[in-house]
Amino acid sequence: MRKTLYIILLGLFITPGFVLAQQRLGVAPGKIQMPQQKFAQQTNVSVLRVTAAACGLDTVVYPIAKATGLSGLLVNNATSAARVGQYYNAPQAITVHGFRFYGWKTDATGGITTNAVCQIFNANPADSLPVGAALATVNVVLDTNFGGGDLGVLQKVANFSSPITVTGPYVLVVGNPTANSIGVVVSDYQAGDGQQEWLASADLGGNWTHGYDVTLGPFPFDCDVLLDPLVTYNLAANFSHTPSCVAAAGNVNFVNTSSPVMMDRMYNAAVFLGFGGLGVTWDFGDGNTVRQAVFMDTVHNYAAAGNYIVTLVDTLFGWSGGFCSADTSITLGGPPITQYSAAINGNIVTFTDLTGSVGATYAWDFGDGNTSTLQNPTHTYGALGTFNACLSVTDACGTDQECQTMPIVAVGTIPGIVGSTFTVYPNPNAGLAKVALQLPEAQAVRLSVYNHLGLLVHTAELGEVQSGHYELPLQGLAAGQYLVELRTATTFAVQRMQIVR
């Protein structure tokens, strides 16, 4: 977008019912230099793709983008407005670091310099005028150097000592508390450059007044004051969808719930300019994409049930700060893909569901005859061995199951063995071990040996015994750690044993 060159006009604010002669500066045409803004996709700017992005400092030139020409206004506390203001939206939290404006002292009366009082106010939501006390105030020195009307000479910057974060609309203000005029650049009120948005306001006699209640000569104050905020903000991509899964072929409705600054024409140049296919990109995970200038709800038809990763990329086109992008991905399920982890501590296993399904039910089969419907159960196995533990997850899209083997290689003593003795000796040994046992009463005893994987490698039925010493011929086993289990009808116990060669 290229702006042409225009003459600055100087005018006095006129309240309704009063008409004063308009004043003009004798400035040759072409001396007022509009900043040359060309809005196009900038391929040399990298796009930051994260779920939430902190957008860098941007100078919002919305008033200049609307302008067809430029005018100048006299601002003083005697014969004109003492302050002029420009309203801005705040669709979300916006941090204002200061603002840029264009101004000068119109003559040497009272000296060749003066202070312009630069402020930021909250806007009254009822009428968009400044309300309450100033959130920040800074003085900026103006001099009489008009520079032939060159905006590069007239440009000034008001930097707040601390950035101001607003959560509602705000008004930037330039004021002159003296009777000696300063000039402030606005867009062309004779051409109606304000487009009847009525964002500009004026302090007349201590009262803030809307632009539509003010005239400049015969012209309504339908323009914008070139007060360009220096802002930062966060951009987050997000969306919701119905139904919750793709259980069959059909439509899924997507609702874009991304940061509202994406939709605001004051901050997003693409929205202001109506660029198509730049601001939002949907990737539906099935090879189809849709691009939109701004975020809108959309509907996509899936040809088949299944799991689809849907990605939304939001790109905000700043006026001077380049791109700011954020993206997010959501997986639309077909039937769930069941996953779980298991932490084994002796004979106690803690199971953790990793499926990530929403609104699901859970069915655990621990492989030893026991079950659970908890999402993340803990189970105690009553014997050594390898068990096949299965989890079935059921949600609105269907059911899926995963099974894993649980090697239980260490078991603690259970009640009933108290007062008994059970010893393996010698330990370590070369493959010929003995067992000494003493039970409270004679019972049928079985001895079992398990390797480090929980696999049964030897078993011996001792019959009805109460005490004694018994050999375990293990000469064929490899060197390593083993567990020897003693089991009766009511009790069991385990001892660790090492075979060396």
Side-chain angles (χ1 to χ4, degrees), residues 35 100-103 142 150-157 228:
R100 181 178 67 183
F101 69 103
Y102 304 91
L142 302 183
D150 190 327
L151 288 187
V153 175
L154 300 178
Q155 178 178 299
K156 305 294 186 294
V157 177
D228 306 328

Side-chain angles (χ1 to χ4, degrees), residues 23 31 41 111 123 269 279 283 299 308 311 323 330 391 393 442 475 490:
Q23 300 184 7
K31 290 296 186 180
Q41 191 164 355
D283 183 337
V299 178
Y308 299 96
T311 302
F323 298 153
I330 295 177
L391 168 63
V393 177
Q475 293 91 335
T490 60

